[in-house]
Amino acid sequence: MKRVLVTGSSRGIGRAVALRLAQDGYAVVTHAVRNADAARETAVECARISGQPEQPVLVFDLADRAATTAALEADIAANGPYFGIVANAGVNADAPFPILEGDAWDKVIDTDLTGLYNLLKPVVMPMISNRIRGRIVTLSSVSGVAGNRGQVNYSAAKAGVIGATKALAVELAKRGITVNAVAPGVIETEMAATIEEPELVKRAIPMRRFGTPEEVAGVVAFLFRDEAAYITRQVISVNGGLF
């Protein structure tokens, strides 16, 4: 049984990724910050799809290092190390830079970037110690690759995710652990639902539509396949040709 942790898997891209990996037979550990009931629904559905035993639902805030470490170490001690990690959970707090408050900067950096360290630090060494030739996939964003108006904090965090991903990939390559980033464009999620003038935004996308969570999940699932074992240190954009 190969266990995979997908953070932020109660909804949106995270839920789609969890369900897609379950289709490939992985035992999916779900995670939520607040909506544990929704994450539990995902866990039940993943177990039904995969045929694997239902896995725990982990509830913690990635910005809280102590809580994140405690939850992950307890799960690994009870159920074994992970074969893979999908670092999907994140937040945004958008505002034009002249009125971007310090709290909004800190919230996004603490969760989306520092939270990546908090997540990966307790899980990587068990993978190494158990000689698991596993997978780590981080979720960046088009904002982290190209920058985006009104998202200086989010763009900074997601660009940092790419840098961390590339550096960690180099460190773990000889262990047979691949580390890649997936950078979605505008995807049909709750975040996209807040976009003003969505039709105007779609006209800026060569494919003239938003992507779906399932399209992002398909790329993540590919990176978990045996055929992707020689792909590491890469950023794969899923953005309809936006840039």
Side-chain angles (χ1 to χ4, degrees):
M1 180 176 69
K2 292 182 177 179
R3 303 177 72 231
V4 173
L5 170 63
V6 182
T7 63
S9 40
S10 63
R11 56 192 172 89
I13 292 173
R15 175 178 166 80
V17 169
L19 296 176
R20 181 63 183 79
L21 290 174
Q23 289 179 23
D24 289 344
Y26 292 103
V28 180
V29 180
T30 57
H31 159 265
V33 178
R34 287 173 295 275
N35 199 346
D37 289 342
R40 190 165 293 107
E41 290 176 5
T42 303
V44 170
E45 184 66 5
C46 284
R48 184 191 68 79
I49 293 170
S50 68
Q52 300 289 350
E54 185 177 330
Q55 297 298 302
V57 176
L58 305 185
V59 180
F60 56 84
D61 183 348
L62 284 164
D64 185 334
R65 182 170 298 158
T68 301
T69 299
L72 294 172
E73 288 183 345
D75 182 48
I76 292 171
N79 301 295
Y82 306 119
F83 169 79
I85 309 293
V86 181
N88 166 74
V91 298
N92 67 301
D94 299 346
F97 188 76
I99 61 171
L100 180 65
E101 297 292 341
D103 287 348
W105 175 273
D106 293 342
K107 176 183 178 181
V108 172
I109 297 297
D110 289 350
T111 301
D112 294 9
L113 183 55
T114 304
L116 181 65
Y117 170 84
N118 297 343
L119 170 67
L120 295 181
K121 186 62 166 63
V123 303
V124 166
M125 198 61 210
M127 294 173 74
I128 294 172
S129 299
N130 286 274
R131 302 183 184 278
I132 295 172
R133 300 175 73 83
R135 304 284 188 268
I136 296 173
V137 177
T138 64
L139 269 291
S140 182
S141 167
V142 61
S143 297
V145 177
N148 193 34
R149 182 193 301 270
Q151 291 190 318
V152 172
N153 51 355
Y154 189 71
S155 298
K158 291 301 187 178
V161 166
I162 289 174
T165 298
K166 287 178 172 286
L168 186 59
V170 175
E171 292 191 17
L172 297 182
K174 65 182 179 182
R175 308 286 185 176
I177 300 171
T178 67
V179 190
N180 294 286
V182 173
V186 187
I187 307 299
E188 293 174 350
T189 61
E190 291 180 10
M191 186 184 298
T194 65
I195 294 175
E196 298 180 4
E197 302 186 77
E199 294 306 315
L200 183 62
V201 175
K202 288 177 183 178
R203 286 201 293 272
I205 302 171
M207 293 192 75
R208 297 296 192 270
R209 67 175 178 88
F210 296 164
T212 68
E214 290 73 22
E215 288 170 325
V216 179
V219 175
V220 175
F222 168 72
L223 291 171
F224 271 72
R225 295 179 64 175
D226 291 343
E227 294 90 337
Y230 201 55
I231 300 172
T232 197
R233 206 183 184 188
Q234 302 305 304
V235 181
I236 303 176
S237 293
V238 185
N239 62 24
L242 189 57
F243 64 89

